[in-house]
Amino acid sequence: MGKVFSAQNVAAYIIYELNEVKEFVNACSIQQILADVDSMWQSVFGHPAFSETTHDFQKSGYTVKEVADEYIEHGTAHILAPAKEWFLKYGEFQLVQRPYALPNFSIKEEIVMRKILSAYRLRTYNLVNVAV
């Protein structure tokens, strides 16, 4: 059985992984990949992937509101780094802004994520080849 993760943490993983292979990623593509993750999690593990509430609208498609709100400022531009969250250690008085942490995937979850990102890259390449 797979774990349930924060969509923000999974989005951070997606951004790091796609930037590492020099693949374009924007706010819209993050939502598409999160939809794939949620769908795959349902079929492989039998439950949703995310702790946040997800929405599937006819007009705008799959959306995790918290992730959409964090990356809306990027619009259609490439995202180089994950959004940041505010963090306050117990007993300290200084807020620190840090990138969202990466999820601690099990081996099976990591394999599922790699397949999802490979499928995304393949779709992207096929779209480019059709356009050319």
Side-chain angles (χ1 to χ4, degrees):
M1 180 169 179
K3 296 177 273 205
V4 175
F5 297 99
S6 166
Q8 293 284 15
N9 299 107
V10 175
Y13 172 85
I14 291 166
I15 292 166
Y16 281 130
E17 288 295 313
L18 292 178
N19 275 310
E20 187 172 306
V21 294
K22 303 205 182 337
E23 183 73 39
F24 180 79
V25 60
N26 65 10
C28 182
S29 60
I30 289 174
Q31 292 295 335
Q32 291 171 346
I33 296 169
L34 290 176
D36 293 343
V37 170
D38 205 21
S39 174
M40 185 69 85
W41 236 252
Q42 287 281 2
S43 65
V44 173
F45 301 112
H47 60 80
F50 309 122
S51 55
E52 294 90 346
T53 303
T54 60
H55 307 279
D56 196 1
F57 300 111
Q58 291 289 344
K59 187 176 178 183
S60 61
Y62 183 91
T63 304
V64 179
K65 183 183 181 323
E66 293 83 356
V67 175
D69 290 346
E70 286 293 331
Y71 296 101
I72 196 165
E73 68 187 38
H74 294 281
T76 58
H78 178 70
I79 299 172
L80 292 171
K84 296 183 179 178
E85 64 179 333
W86 289 100
F87 176 73
L88 178 63
K89 281 187 181 177
Y90 180 76
E92 290 187 7
F93 298 101
Q94 182 177 5
L95 281 171
V96 177
Q97 195 177 28
R98 64 180 189 185
Y100 280 96
L102 298 179
N104 187 16
F105 291 127
S106 68
I107 293 171
K108 187 173 183 178
E109 293 165 343
E110 180 76 27
I111 291 168
V112 169
M113 287 302 298
R114 296 239 177 246
K115 285 182 180 181
I116 291 166
L117 291 177
S118 292
Y120 168 76
R121 288 194 304 271
L122 184 61
R123 275 194 320 258
T124 304
Y125 294 140
N126 287 338
L127 286 173
V128 170
N129 287 335
V130 169
V132 174

